[in-house]
Amino acid sequence: MAHQVYAHIEKALAKAKHVLLLTDERIDGDTLGSSLGLFHVLVQGTPRVSIFSPKPLPPMFAFLPGVEHIIRDTRIFLDPSIDLIIVCDNSDGVYLPPLLKHMPYKVPVICIDHHMTNPHYGDINLIEPKAPSTADVAYRLIKTLNLPISPAAAQCFLTGMCTDTILFSTQHTNATV
């Protein structure tokens, strides 16, 4: 089943001219690591990539490459050039509808997550409840799609994996991570 979802995501990415990445409203290393990791991968091949966070970033994540690109201005949702949204590590999607209703037209949403409680609110859902982190799910997607992973992307994905597994010590840590 995952390979079909990967194919749908690959097709959506190939058509995209402006991708908007969204973090969760509960800012942690996994939502930042997976979102910023994807940011660094996608800027290498997508005409335009933006990244939005609904809340301020905790200072402890200021070291992550790319944090300076994260915007908090909700006017981004008025931009008619956005043609794909990717939400990372947001288990419920509750904060999204009020923001998405301001968009000039309906934009497809890809949800990448690892929470078993995720209700599959995206148009395309890559939800892997057995994965130890969303960063792990996003990393494996990028590897499967054979997209280049820069050192900055790797640092972001690793941060997400490390924070959600508490440095590989939780019961969800597995051989893939």
Side-chain angles (χ1 to χ4, degrees), residues 92-174:
D92 56 23
V94 171
Y95 89 91
L96 300 176
L99 295 171
L100 298 181
K101 74 177 183 181
H102 297 293
M103 298 195 79
Y105 53 89
K106 181 164 174 19
V107 174
V109 173
I110 296 173
C111 175
I112 301 175
D113 195 15
H114 75 116
H115 296 98
M116 99 175 19
T117 58
N118 191 300
H120 293 77
Y121 57 83
D123 298 298
I124 301 172
N125 295 286
L126 179 56
I127 315 296
E128 296 185 12
K130 292 184 180 177
S133 68
T134 298
D136 175 54
V137 176
Y139 172 78
R140 284 185 287 108
L141 167 70
I142 295 307
K143 290 292 286 182
T144 301
L145 297 182
N146 204 29
L147 296 172
I149 298 175
S150 66
Q155 182 179 354
C156 293
F157 288 135
L158 182 60
T159 297
M161 292 176 203
C162 286
T163 58
D164 250 30
T165 64
I166 311 172
L167 295 174
F168 310 110
S169 65
T170 63
Q171 67 180 4
H172 300 292
T173 301
N174 58 35

Side-chain angles (χ1 to χ4, degrees), residues 72-86:
R72 297 208 40 245
D73 187 346
T74 58
R75 289 179 291 182
I76 187 71
F77 292 92
L78 300 173
D79 186 337
S81 72
I82 295 170
D83 55 1
L84 183 63
I85 293 175
I86 301 175

